[in-house]
Amino acid sequence: MILPLLATGAMGGVLAGMFGVGGGIIMVPLLMLWARMDQRQAAATSLVAIVPTAVAGATTYGIAGEIDLVAAALVGAGAFAGAPLGAYLLRALPLAWLRWAFIVGMLIAASRLILVEPERGSDIDLSVLISLGLLLLGIVMGVAAGMFGIGGGVIAVPLLIAVFGMGDLAAKGTSLAAMIPAAISGTIPNLRAGLVDVRQGLIVGIAAVLASQGGVALAFLVPPALSGILFGSLLVLVAGQLAIRAVRAGRRERRERDDRDGDDRPTP
């Protein structure tokens, strides 16, 4: 079990540093594929791992001056409030809904990253309306974090760039800083519900922390347009793999349900 967890964390860490995400967008499907976890266990484990990963990535971006601290505080406050709702939905919604909602979210994020080229070096001009928008973004980010085990960076980074006009590097650093409270807030109810093995989450997280520094270095080297295309293409590939697994799982669940219904019928 340790090798799949370490490999998952390493891949998630590279993505976290390079693209400003928590890494859950790749760690959740890999935990399902390699560690044989279901959607709920994978999401909860990923969220634990995101806490140290986001701290390490945000620190590196911050040292380089690529974090908007005010924006990060506003988004983080909204994310802290939204994550418990997402964690509740993770426990309450059927697995089939969670599978397909996760896949659709990945495809939406992928299309945005591929089609829109970000700028580098732009700042946000804060106003009351912009501040409220950042809080709302944080709430959406927090719900996604708690519900899908992702940091929410796949939502925050494209929106910070496209809607709020932030440069791509600053958006990545700000996103990582904002997802720290979201990951903590979402993990607490998961721990209380017994959904997560903390040891497994920390193994994934340690590997992700070590790998994230290489990812940050790549973020500064790769042009923003190429970075968006690479990340978006990866999301499309992962979403396709998950869609195949979701279809197979749905068929299996229907067969099992039909078998149970057949067993419950009275014998003539």
Side-chain angles (χ1 to χ4, degrees), residues 39-57:
Q39 179 84 40
R40 291 191 179 95
Q41 292 172 320
T45 302
S46 171
L47 206 55
V48 172
I50 283 170
V51 177
T53 307
V55 170

Side-chain angles (χ1 to χ4, degrees), residues 47-76:
L47 206 55
V48 172
I50 283 170
V51 177
T53 307
V55 170
T59 300
T60 307
Y61 274 100
I63 292 173
E66 294 291 352
I67 291 181
D68 187 320
L69 293 177
V70 176
L74 290 169
V75 176

Side-chain angles (χ1 to χ4, degrees), residues 63-116:
I63 292 173
E66 294 291 352
I67 291 181
D68 187 320
L69 293 177
V70 176
L74 290 169
V75 176
F80 187 83
L85 173 58
Y88 167 76
L89 293 174
L90 174 66
R91 301 189 301 273
L93 290 178
L95 281 174
W97 288 26
L98 291 172
R99 291 190 197 109
W100 287 107
F102 189 66
I103 291 167
V104 170
M106 291 179 70
L107 292 175
I108 292 172
S111 63
R112 186 67 187 79
L113 288 164
I114 292 172
L115 296 175
V116 178

